[in-house]
């Protein structure tokens, strides 16, 4: 079973569409988004996923009430921290890195996902700590997502 991971899509609809196609082709069981969708229109492409989406708000997300309404048909979105289970694994999703490392070191979750920095980060603490980079690609020039094998907890980064 596979987990799709994305973050910081920043209204880049063509890249969000590419991520959706990639995740559908990969057959992921769930997609988590670590925040910074930005505008409500950026949620629409996620409706084409063949699975549920669980996300958290980032520092640039505006119109949160409307964003949350758009999420009602595709999954769920949380203000700061999402706790989710899939494939027998516990996953914490947040936007900010400040708490991600201590939470990963605690071993409370199997996987800890964060965003915000737009930088790819994969660390094995007691938990797998993962930042998939930025799906939007505006800052680094690279649009990336991650896939985690829930059986082995191996994460791979994929450029769109």
């Amino acid at each position: 079973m596979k987990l799709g991971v994305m973050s910081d899509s920043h209204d880049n609809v063509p890249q969000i569409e590419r991520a959706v196609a990639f995740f559908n082709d990969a057959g992921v069981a769930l997609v988590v988004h670590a925040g910074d969708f930005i505008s409500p229109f950026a949620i629409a492409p996620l409706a084409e996923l063949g699975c549920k989406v669980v996300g958290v708000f980032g520092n640039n997300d505006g119109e949160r009430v409307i964003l949350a309404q758009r999420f009602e048909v595709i999954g769920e979105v949380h203000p700061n921290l999402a706790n989710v289970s899939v494939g027998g694994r516990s996953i914490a999703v947040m936007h900010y890195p400040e708490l991600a490392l201590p939470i990963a070191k605690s071993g409370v979750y199997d996987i800890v996902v964060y965003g915000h920095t737009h930088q790819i980060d994969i660390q094995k603490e007691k938990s797998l700590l993962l930042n998939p980079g930025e799906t939007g690609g505006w800052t680094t020039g690279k649009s990336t997502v991650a896939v985690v094998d829930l059986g082995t907890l191996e994460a791979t980064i994929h450029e769109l």
Side-chain angles (χ1 to χ4, degrees):
M1 189 173 284
K2 298 175 191 170
L3 172 72
V5 183
M6 61 192 299
S7 186
D8 296 280
S9 48
H10 287 270
D11 282 348
N12 192 334
V13 172
Q15 293 303 83
I16 297 167
E17 291 170 341
R18 285 184 185 94
V20 166
F22 175 81
F23 288 141
N24 284 341
D25 288 346
V28 301
L30 175 73
V31 170
V32 296
H33 192 302
D36 277 358
F37 313 96
I38 310 301
S39 301
F41 68 80
I43 303 305
L46 298 176
E48 299 301 316
L49 280 164
C51 63
K52 179 177 157 180
V53 182
V54 175
V56 295
F57 289 127
N59 59 301
N60 287 304
D61 290 319
E63 303 180 73
R64 290 182 178 200
V65 170
I66 298 170
L67 280 169
Q69 289 170 344
R70 299 281 168 91
F71 253 87
E72 289 174 0
V73 296
I74 63 168
E76 55 192 66
V77 65
H78 300 268
N80 298 307
L81 174 68
N83 297 301
V84 64
S85 294
V86 64
R89 298 294 189 172
S90 59
I91 304 159
V93 184
M94 64 204 67
H95 185 65
Y96 297 103
E98 290 82 7
L99 289 178
L101 184 57
I103 291 172
K105 286 183 176 181
S106 77
V108 171
Y109 296 93
D110 296 306
I111 305 167
V112 177
V113 174
Y114 75 98
H116 187 64
T117 66
H118 297 233
Q119 299 298 313
I120 295 166
D121 183 19
I122 301 173
Q123 297 181 42
K124 287 281 197 149
E125 298 292 337
K126 288 186 178 177
S127 308
L128 170 65
L129 177 68
L130 174 62
N131 182 331
E134 60 172 338
T135 302
W138 300 119
T139 303
T140 64
K142 287 186 176 182
S143 179
T144 55
V145 296
V147 172
V148 178
D149 180 311
L150 294 171
T152 63
L153 290 181
E154 293 296 320
T156 54
I157 300 295
H158 302 273
E159 191 168 346
L160 301 173

